Amino acid sequence: SKPIKKIMLTAVSLSMILDNKTGTDLIANGSFGTDSAVPAFANTNDTNLSVSPYLTRKWLTITSSGTSQYKGACWNIDKQNGEIFGYPLRLAFDVQSAENTILGINFVFYNADGKRLGSQSPIPCTLSTWRFLHYEDTIKFDDKYKDCASIVMQIITNDSKPIKKIMLTAVSLSMIFDVQASTQYLENKHRLPIVTFTGNLDGISGDKFVNVSWSYTSKSTTLQGYGAIKWQGSSSMAYPKKSYRLKTLKSDFKTKDKIKILPSWNKHSKFNLKAYYTDGLMSRDPTNASIGGAIWASQRNIPKDLIDEDNFGFVDGFPVALYINGKFYGIYSFNLPRPDFDYTKYALIGNMYNELTQFKSQNPNVKLDGSDFEILNLNGKLDEIKTAVNSLISFVSTSSDEDFKQYLSEHINLESVIDYFIFSNIIGNGDAWGKNQVLLSWDGKIWYWQPYDLDVSYSAQFDGTVSPMPTNLMGSWHKVFDRVNQLYSDKIKERYSQIRSWLTPSYVLDRYRSRINEIGTANFEAEHNKWNNPAKDTEDFKQLTENVYHQFKLLDKVWIEDSSQEIEILKNKVESLMAQKK
């Protein structure tokens, strides 16, 4: 009960030591110490191993007068029913040598018949003459060896020279549990930011959140906290790889905890970990969103509220590796979710394909319960919103061409509809013409169009299959876009020419290439080994390149070459009239 003047602690960690000094008998033939080592190979009988005390410690001494290759010692490792594969492992030992040499370290995996399945190696150990060295490195066993029958660790020389003397002590293999060391190891392995969730996920669903602790590690940034997660998405809920919604919370698991993940983002308390299970590139949705954000940024009259949003109201995200309770769950995209749009009077999204969401019904009666549209914010009375939406649909479906052009500005923000139409055709968006259209109204009368959910693009389908690319403009089956295309073709062509002056195939492909290369070949392989993704062999960068050029060629022909032909026809008419006048 005495007062404490000062106590200082640092580098506090909790790790499982895989040797029977702690009573955890994880080594097959005794303690993982100097007494249990045997020569590395049966054909290296010229290797002599002995244990002797030196400086109050027991040392394994290795000598050899022979010239056989790969001389050294080995230990059998108990794989603990495969559980040892679940975590990064830290190998450490103290060593000294009578001469300069290099020790190779191998973990070799065997099947029940003694056949070698493969091996993994930490960094080699470089020794200088009679210099004490503490060796330490981390390794995580590849899951492809999880069903092996045995594991052998070798510490060996890789040449055929005799060994004067090598002395080893305090050999240990530890399971890394401390968050910082574990995530730093994983970040080095994946070369991506690491997101971890830790907690009991029993009962999690698309409706039920479960409490977790979370961490985010990227280069010099480490963030940790509390939160709740649930499954996220609609059609993707049926797939084995789930997407997750993360709410960041204070330690009471009730109060929102707004955090800034990227310096360019605003603070948020909601994030999505998107699985993109059916996208062979795991890149379509966020990359298309970055292209869409660039187009919206060039709108002359973009609403200020969207300027203040991250990426002008589109989603934004970057690839990460996700671990839950220490196990690899795949490569995900850490995304900002769709905005709440709580600054608008009305905000809704198309949730189904039908006569209502495609603005064809002449006697509309929307329910706004998800069977047609879904309300994103309820800032007014439900009946008032229904009346406003029904009025919009009726205007589109029943007005004459003359009335449509005369009164359009009282109902629709034309600039947003034209950009929606152009952008969705540029990316070949097959899921934008009823579902996934976000409708925003600041005054309850004029509606602004914003796209969402951009992964069904460039021939990719929602289930991982691939469809043929379109041979004509998309969206003609949606009454708004069909009428705007028919009655405002000159404005569409003018806007497309503006966008096309900077939005080139190279621009699109560079954005895709950057993200795909950021994920990296090894991470794609790890993802496919984990989930066997359905589009892994059908959607690649070559296919994407062909489809990008296909779309630009198609749209250039419709909106630029046709324009040139119209100008030429008009020019000929003027010249003909001038000739008649003369």
Side-chain angles (χ1 to χ4, degrees):
S1 58
K2 294 190 301 181
I4 296 175
K5 290 183 178 180
K6 183 185 286 187
I7 296 173
M8 300 174 70
L9 295 166
T10 189
V12 181
S13 67
L14 179 66
S15 58
M16 183 179 291
I17 308 300
L18 304 191
D19 62 25
N20 70 357
K21 295 176 184 175
T22 60
T24 314
D25 190 8
L26 297 182
I27 306 306
N29 60 345
S31 69
F32 193 47
T34 55
D35 298 333
S36 59
V38 296
F41 292 96
N43 60 357
T44 55
N45 293 325
D46 52 351
T47 300
N48 301 307
L49 303 180
S50 62
V51 177
S52 57
Y54 178 61
L55 297 177
T56 71
R57 304 168 78 183
K58 280 187 174 183
W59 294 76
L60 172 68
T61 301
I62 305 172
T63 61
S64 175
S65 57
T67 57
S68 60
Q69 199 169 10
Y70 307 127
K71 296 181 289 293
C74 72
W75 292 258
N76 292 322
I77 310 296
D78 186 345
K79 70 189 193 79
Q80 286 291 287
N81 297 321
E83 292 177 7
I84 197 172
F85 286 80
Y87 298 89
L89 306 169
R90 180 187 293 114
L91 172 65
F93 53 83
D94 293 337
V95 61
Q96 57 179 322
S97 172
E99 58 189 329
N100 294 345
T101 191
I102 297 175
L103 295 179
I105 302 159
N106 301 314
F107 288 90
V108 188
F109 306 91
Y110 296 92
N111 66 13
D113 297 327
K115 181 181 177 181
R116 188 178 185 273
L117 301 175
S119 66
Q120 292 179 240
S121 301
I123 61 173
C125 176
T126 302
L127 299 171
S128 300
T129 304
W130 290 125
R131 295 284 300 273
F132 283 107
L133 176 71
H134 175 74
Y135 172 92
E136 192 168 304
D137 193 24
T138 54
I139 188 168
K140 185 170 183 288
F141 293 158
D142 195 318
D143 281 345
K144 69 183 180 182
Y145 300 124
K146 193 169 184 177
D147 296 326
C148 70
S150 62
I151 307 170
V152 172
M153 185 187 78
Q154 303 167 342
I155 298 181
I156 55 176
T157 59
N158 289 322
D159 54 48
S160 56
K161 295 190 303 181
I163 297 175
K164 289 183 178 179
K165 181 183 286 188
I166 295 172
M167 299 174 69
L168 293 163
T169 193
V171 182
S172 68
L173 186 66
S174 307
M175 188 177 291
I176 301 173
F177 282 140
D178 52 295
V179 172
Q180 186 175 3
S182 177
T183 51
Q184 284 177 349
Y185 162 78
L186 296 174
E187 188 183 7
N188 288 336
K189 172 185 176 179
H190 290 286
R191 303 296 180 184
L192 288 177
I194 304 298
V195 175
T196 68
F197 296 144
T198 304
N200 186 349
L201 269 60
D202 291 347
I204 190 173
S205 69
D207 301 313
K208 182 180 177 182
F209 281 93
V210 297
N211 292 339
V212 296
S213 60
W214 60 267
S215 72
Y216 167 83
T217 303
S218 177
K219 298 177 182 177
S220 59
T221 300
T222 299
L223 301 173
Q224 300 177 29
Y226 305 94
I229 62 172
K230 69 168 187 172
W231 293 337
Q232 190 271 339
S234 53
S235 58
S236 61
M237 204 72 72
Y239 300 139
K241 184 186 180 186
K242 301 290 191 278
S243 295
Y244 296 91
R245 164 65 59 85
L246 166 66
K247 295 193 300 187
T248 51
L249 304 170
K250 301 290 188 182
S251 57
D252 60 4
F253 289 102
K254 296 178 181 179
T255 310
K256 290 181 181 179
D257 185 18
K258 286 194 171 185
I259 60 172
K260 179 176 282 194
I261 293 290
L262 296 182
S264 61
W265 284 358
N266 297 317
K267 283 188 174 183
H268 294 275
S269 61
K270 291 191 300 184
F271 305 92
N272 287 336
L273 276 295
K274 297 293 288 186
Y276 296 139
Y277 168 72
T278 60
D279 178 4
L281 299 174
M282 293 188 288
S283 301
R284 279 176 168 79
D285 184 35
T287 306
N288 291 336
S290 72
I291 296 166
I295 292 175
W296 258 242
S298 70
Q299 283 183 10
R300 291 180 180 176
N301 300 300
I302 184 172
K304 183 181 182 302
D305 289 322
L306 294 184
I307 294 175
D308 294 338
E309 287 281 7
D310 295 287
N311 199 26
F312 304 96
F314 288 79
V315 301
D316 197 13
F318 56 92
V320 300
L322 176 64
Y323 281 75
I324 300 180
N325 292 327
K327 294 184 178 180
F328 177 61
Y329 267 63
I331 303 302
Y332 279 71
S333 189
F334 194 99
N335 287 6
L336 293 175
R338 181 183 59 226
D340 293 327
F341 301 117
D342 50 5
Y343 36 73
T344 62
K345 185 173 183 179
Y346 304 145
L348 53 142
I349 185 171
N351 200 55
M352 293 288 178
Y353 285 102
N354 53 42
E355 296 285 299
L356 293 168
T357 58
Q358 294 184 335
F359 290 76
K360 295 177 180 179
S361 175
Q362 296 187 0
N363 296 293
N365 183 22
V366 294
K367 295 181 179 179
L368 307 185
D369 60 356
S371 63
D372 40 59
F373 294 94
E374 177 186 343
I375 295 176
L376 299 180
N377 69 36
L378 189 58
N379 289 339
K381 294 181 179 178
L382 181 59
D383 287 343
E384 292 177 351
I385 302 177
K386 287 182 177 180
T387 299
V389 177
N390 286 331
S391 175
L392 174 65
I393 296 173
S394 292
F395 168 73
V396 173
S397 64
T398 63
S399 60
S400 65
D401 288 351
E402 292 76 16
D403 287 346
F404 187 84
K405 294 191 73 172
Q406 183 175 352
Y407 299 109
L408 177 74
S409 61
E410 297 179 11
H411 298 273
I412 291 174
N413 181 300
L414 179 60
E415 188 178 15
S416 70
V417 169
I418 288 175
D419 278 4
Y420 187 110
F421 186 53
I422 292 173
F423 167 64
S424 298
N425 270 282
I426 286 174
I427 66 172
N429 192 344
D431 202 17
W433 315 105
K435 282 186 70 177
N436 301 319
Q437 55 180 331
V438 174
L439 276 64
L440 308 173
S441 180
W442 279 259
D443 62 2
K445 299 176 182 178
I446 303 172
W447 294 86
Y448 183 99
W449 258 255
Q450 181 91 357
Y452 176 69
D453 197 356
L454 310 175
D455 44 7
V456 179
S457 63
Y458 293 124
S459 80
Q461 292 299 299
F462 73 96
D463 57 358
T465 59
V466 176
S467 64
M469 290 294 288
T471 56
N472 208 333
L473 290 178
M474 305 179 76
S476 62
W477 48 92
H478 188 294
K479 196 71 172 177
V480 171
F481 300 106
D482 181 50
R483 300 201 72 179
V484 168
N485 185 44
Q486 296 295 328
L487 300 174
Y488 292 92
S489 61
D490 55 339
K491 289 186 178 294
I492 294 173
K493 291 172 182 177
E494 179 185 4
R495 178 59 171 155
Y496 180 72
S497 295
Q498 292 173 355
I499 294 171
R500 187 67 171 84
S501 67
W502 57 268
L503 185 57
T504 63
S506 177
Y507 179 98
V508 173
L509 293 171
D510 281 349
R511 295 225 169 182
Y512 269 95
R513 184 184 295 109
S514 176
R515 180 181 166 97
I516 293 166
N517 290 343
E518 183 181 1
I519 294 173
T521 301
N523 286 319
F524 276 107
E525 290 178 354
E527 166 77 13
H528 298 159
N529 288 336
K530 174 73 175 179
W531 296 111
N532 192 30
N533 309 57
K536 63 184 176 65
D537 298 319
T538 56
E539 296 174 5
D540 57 19
F541 190 74
K542 179 178 182 296
Q543 177 239 14
L544 175 77
T545 302
E546 293 173 351
N547 292 342
V548 168
Y549 274 95
H550 172 96
Q551 280 306 97
F552 275 107
K553 184 177 180 180
L554 172 64
L555 301 182
D556 286 352
K557 183 176 181 180
V558 174
W559 287 331
I560 293 181
E561 292 177 16
D562 284 359
S563 298
S564 301
Q565 292 171 4
E566 289 177 5
I567 293 171
E568 190 65 30
I569 291 170
L570 182 60
K571 180 181 176 183
N572 292 336
K573 286 182 178 180
V574 171
E575 290 175 350
S576 176
L577 288 171
M578 292 295 289
Q580 291 176 15
K581 187 176 182 180
K582 288 179 181 180

